């Protein structure tokens, strides 16, 4: 991890430039909830699209769905979340703070001493992370619904629907991106762990005998995906779950971890969920969710290999990994080295000066480029400052229109990472930028 990036710098850049704001800030903020501003929403959407393309478009056997956040309450009994989706919680009787028992020093836990104020801690008790609410006007047990703590269950309950309406045969996958909610006891580190977040999950349905093969396949594929997204390889590693880390549904699990400014932490989980989920839904719903395999002449409950990434957590990874500072001509240049396909703005267009028809020409060029890329027009301040403003938000390409442009219909194309500038014909700008995007390599 480059020493240059700290959480303070990231949080302040995100606020200053309109990537991410504290939720309900004018009321003092809501802890652990964040709003995505004009640049943040573009970045998040592009990361989502990058994932969607990778998982669905580039695979002929993976389709998408978008299931409701609220599901029948029996789903969460069947999935095991009502019973097992808990964290051990301890309270401090003095300062009233709450901690996850597994995240405070063992000595404190053993001696019941609060790590913050030295007060007395309660015995650990299990705390269910699902948010519970009611559907309809009557708040009784029959109206309980949960906000989904993972998107995966929306896929499992639609397994038969997708199978019957598409012509997919095992092995095949179903992908989904959406919100998930967890009443986390401790939320910290900006958007890393929040109560409301987004997941990008893919469930791959396979014959039980092939679980090892597909597990290994998706483990490697998902690691390579982050390199494609422009994340530095040295900031990524695998972590295998030990027996006490495994979720209640998993036979085997590997995390892809990222080296965040606060240490190595999980970014994505690859799980062998066996036939646990479908079997439980068969049991609880009474419906037949088995699969008839024509080729094998066999009926079985498919095994599932799951790839489960946090979208909002990936936003933090992408920002953290892209953040760079370097000294240029005696001044610090802050630059986000974002992959051009996820950068909120692809091309910024500037007139060198506002007069002599240069701003009109620059405007015309910028409007023409909107068909191809997300663009931004800026005519305020010295040209060097305009470049710096774009560097700081990760805009990979800038175009400057000058007096020569009026004569020979060429402009300057400047590359964010190298700061190299080349002369390009106006009509060739889209092709040159597309070529640069295609050949983009993270420096
Ligand atoms: N369906 C499996 C599942 O949900 P998980 O390991 O609990 O597995 C998967 O979560 C991913 O979701 C994590 O790797 C992380 O990126 C993201 N995630 C989980 N809890 C989160 C939270 N409270 N805030 C932000 N992202 C979270």
């Amino acid at each position: 991890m480059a020493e240059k990036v700290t959480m303070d710098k990231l949080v302040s850049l995100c606020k200053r430039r309109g990537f991410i704001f504290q939720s309900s800030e004018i009321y003092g903020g809501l802890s652990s909830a964040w709003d995505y501003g004009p640049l943040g929403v573009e970045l998040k959407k592009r990361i989502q699209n990058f994932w969607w393309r990778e998982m669905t478009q580039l695979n002929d056997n993976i389709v998408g769905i978008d299931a409701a956040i609220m599901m029948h309450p029996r789903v969460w009994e069947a999935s095991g979340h009502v019973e097992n989706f808990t964290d051990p919680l301890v309270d401090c009787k003095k300062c009233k703070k709450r901690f996850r028992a597994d995240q405070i020093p063992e000595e404190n836990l053993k001696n019941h001493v609060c790590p913050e104020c030295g007060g007395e801690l309660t015995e650990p008790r299990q705390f269910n992370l699902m948010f519970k609410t009611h559907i309809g006007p009557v708040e009784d047990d029959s109206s309980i619904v949960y906000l989904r703590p993972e998107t995966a269950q929306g896929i499992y309950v639609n397994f038969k629907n997708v199978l019957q309406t598409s012509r997919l045969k095992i092995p095949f996958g179903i992908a989904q991106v959406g919100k998930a909610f967890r009443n986390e006891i401790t939320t910290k580190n900006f958007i890393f762990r929040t109560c409301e977040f987004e997941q990008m999950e893919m469930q791959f349905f396979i014959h039980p005998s092939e679980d090892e093969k597909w597990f290994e396949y998706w483990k490697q594929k998902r690691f390579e995906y982050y390199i494609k997204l422009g994340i530095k390889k040295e900031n990524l590693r695998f972590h295998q779950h030990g027996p006490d880390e495994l979720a209640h549904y998993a036979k085997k699990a590997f995390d892809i971890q990222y080296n965040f400014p606060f240490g190595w932490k999980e970014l994505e989980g690859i799980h062998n969920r066996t036939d646990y989920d479908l079997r439980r839904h068969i049991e609880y719903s009474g419906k037949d969710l088995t699969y008839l395999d024509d080729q094998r002449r066999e009926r079985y409950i498919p095994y599932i290999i799951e790839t489960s990434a946090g979208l909002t957590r990936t936003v933090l990874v992408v920002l953290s990994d892209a953040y760079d500072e370097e000294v240029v001509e005696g001044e610090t240049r802050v630059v986000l080295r974002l992959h051009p396909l996820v950068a909120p703005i692809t091309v910024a267009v500037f007139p060198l000066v506002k007069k002599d028809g240069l701003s009109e020409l620059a405007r015309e060029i910028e409007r023409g480029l909107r068909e191809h890329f997300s663009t931004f027009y800026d005519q305020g301040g010295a040209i060097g400052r305009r470049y710096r403003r774009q560097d700081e938000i990760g805009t990979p390409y800038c175009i400057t229109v000058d007096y020569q442009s009026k004569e020979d219909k060429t402009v300057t194309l400047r590359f964010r990472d190298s700061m190299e500038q080349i002369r390009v014909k106006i009509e060739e700008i889209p092709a040159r930028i597309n070529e640069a995007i295609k050949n983009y390599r993270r420096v």
Side-chain angles (χ1 to χ4, degrees):
M1 166 62 44
E3 264 146 40
K4 298 163 193 164
V5 59
T6 63
M7 287 310 286
D8 284 347
K9 286 183 192 174
L10 278 183
V11 175
S12 123
L13 171 71
C14 284
K15 182 170 162 57
R16 192 172 67 247
R17 298 307 308 271
F19 280 94
I20 299 164
F21 310 117
Q22 172 88 64
S23 158
S24 329
E25 198 183 317
I26 59 167
Y27 288 99
L30 180 68
S31 91
S32 110
W34 300 90
D35 298 340
Y36 288 75
L39 294 180
V41 71
E42 294 292 339
L43 176 65
K44 181 153 69 70
K45 275 198 174 149
R46 283 169 172 65
I47 293 173
Q48 176 179 335
N49 291 344
F50 198 95
W51 182 89
W52 193 259
R53 178 175 181 275
E54 173 82 13
M55 300 307 274
T56 63
Q57 206 173 317
L58 300 183
N59 288 289
D60 58 10
N61 59 350
I62 302 183
V63 294
I65 65 159
D66 185 11
I69 288 172
M70 289 191 282
M71 303 177 74
H72 195 288
R74 289 280 283 168
V75 168
W76 305 107
E77 288 170 32
S79 70
H81 283 79
V82 170
E83 195 185 337
N84 299 311
F85 199 56
T86 54
D87 275 343
L89 166 78
V90 287
D91 289 290
C92 173
K93 291 183 182 168
K94 194 169 153 207
C95 71
K96 310 286 177 217
K97 285 222 168 104
R98 294 181 154 176
F99 306 92
R100 256 176 72 173
D102 54 349
Q103 285 183 352
I104 60 171
E106 235 168 78
E107 278 299 296
N108 291 68
L109 192 62
K110 210 169 81 195
N111 300 320
H112 298 103
V113 177
C114 171
E116 298 251 322
C117 76
E120 191 191 340
L121 289 180
T122 60
E123 283 296 327
R125 64 193 158 90
Q126 289 304 321
F127 171 77
N128 196 296
L129 299 182
M130 284 197 293
F131 282 101
K132 213 190 251 186
T133 186
H134 295 268
I135 248 180
V138 185
E139 293 195 7
D140 62 15
D141 282 357
S142 66
S143 66
I144 289 177
V145 285
Y146 299 97
L147 300 186
R148 64 183 178 196
E150 60 169 8
T151 61
Q153 299 300 327
I155 294 182
Y156 306 145
V157 298
N158 277 296
F159 168 70
K160 212 76 197 197
N161 284 337
V162 175
L163 196 62
Q164 281 165 354
T165 51
S166 61
R167 294 170 59 208
L168 290 163
K169 294 208 177 310
I170 272 177
F172 75 90
I174 306 178
Q176 177 171 219
V177 180
K179 292 238 174 184
F181 302 82
R182 293 182 191 178
N183 200 357
E184 299 280 2
I185 297 163
T186 44
T187 53
K188 55 180 178 191
N189 293 326
F190 196 28
I191 54 170
F192 174 77
R193 179 174 287 111
T194 48
C195 291
E196 175 177 347
F197 57 100
E198 282 171 78
Q199 290 187 313
M200 306 183 284
E201 298 198 304
M202 194 280 295
Q203 315 295 325
F204 202 67
F205 299 87
I206 54 165
H207 187 270
S209 67
E210 297 195 322
D211 63 339
E212 284 295 327
K213 178 181 104 180
W214 286 112
F215 186 87
E216 207 42 46
Y217 174 84
W218 283 111
K219 192 178 136 214
Q220 295 311 329
K221 268 283 212 206
R222 294 303 302 151
F223 195 93
E224 285 158 23
Y225 157 86
Y226 289 106
I227 314 283
K228 264 173 110 173
L229 184 61
I231 307 300
K232 288 194 198 129
K233 196 171 178 188
E234 65 265 29
N235 286 333
L236 294 164
R237 72 176 189 196
F238 283 118
H239 162 76
Q240 179 164 19
H241 281 210
D244 15 316
E245 284 173 281
L246 282 174
H248 60 272
Y249 49 73
K251 172 176 155 194
K252 187 172 176 184
F254 271 72
D255 289 341
I256 297 176
Q257 291 188 333
Y258 179 76
N259 190 9
F260 289 92
F262 42 88
W264 288 96
K265 298 272 181 230
E266 173 184 349
L267 162 60
E268 164 159 357
I270 295 104
H271 310 129
N272 180 351
R273 294 182 74 133
T274 67
D275 60 3
Y276 174 85
D277 298 277
L278 289 181
R279 186 177 287 285
R280 295 272 294 195
H281 285 304
I282 292 171
E283 198 184 308
Y284 280 70
S285 69
K287 299 285 180 317
D288 178 14
L289 303 178
T290 56
Y291 174 79
L292 180 61
D293 194 322
D294 308 334
Q295 276 188 330
R296 288 190 166 86
R297 292 166 190 275
E298 193 189 331
R299 185 175 275 285
Y300 54 87
I301 305 174
Y303 265 36
I304 293 166
I305 305 298
E306 169 183 65
T307 71
S308 176
L311 169 55
T312 40
R313 199 172 281 185
T314 308
V315 172
L316 182 58
V317 165
V318 165
L319 285 169
S320 175
D321 209 73
Y323 187 94
D324 198 11
E325 285 173 6
E326 60 185 11
V327 177
V328 178
E329 291 160 9
E331 272 192 39
T332 302
R333 170 172 102 116
V334 173
V335 50
L336 285 187
R337 300 189 190 280
L338 296 173
H339 191 296
L341 288 177
V342 301
I345 297 165
T346 322
V347 201
V349 182
F350 316 137
L352 184 64
V353 290
K354 282 183 238 171
K355 53 185 185 169
D356 301 327
L358 295 193
S359 51
E360 286 78 5
L361 180 55
R363 267 273 180 222
E364 192 188 317
I365 293 173
E366 186 267 325
R367 281 206 196 95
L369 290 174
R370 286 182 197 178
E371 285 290 325
H372 308 269
F373 310 106
S374 69
T375 61
F376 184 75
Y377 176 81
D378 186 7
Q379 58 178 25
I383 196 80
R385 294 206 61 75
R386 280 182 263 169
Y387 282 140
R388 291 293 177 275
R389 285 204 289 264
Q390 294 306 313
D391 289 342
E392 199 185 39
I393 59 168
T395 306
Y397 312 107
C398 289
I399 281 166
T400 302
V401 175
D402 55 18
Y403 286 102
Q404 193 186 328
S405 311
K406 280 177 42 175
E407 306 203 334
D408 65 2
K409 299 274 175 258
T410 65
V411 292
T412 302
L413 171 60
R414 181 233 193 215
F415 298 87
R416 175 198 66 203
D417 289 348
S418 61
M419 291 186 290
E420 185 199 350
Q421 302 191 5
I422 57 169
R423 209 72 205 171
V424 179
K425 286 200 183 126
I426 293 171
E427 77 228 37
E428 287 173 8
I429 299 172
R432 291 302 288 265
I433 291 180
N434 276 326
E435 184 191 289
I437 294 176
K438 206 167 140 217
N439 298 325
Y440 174 79
R441 288 283 167 276
R442 173 67 200 268
V443 289

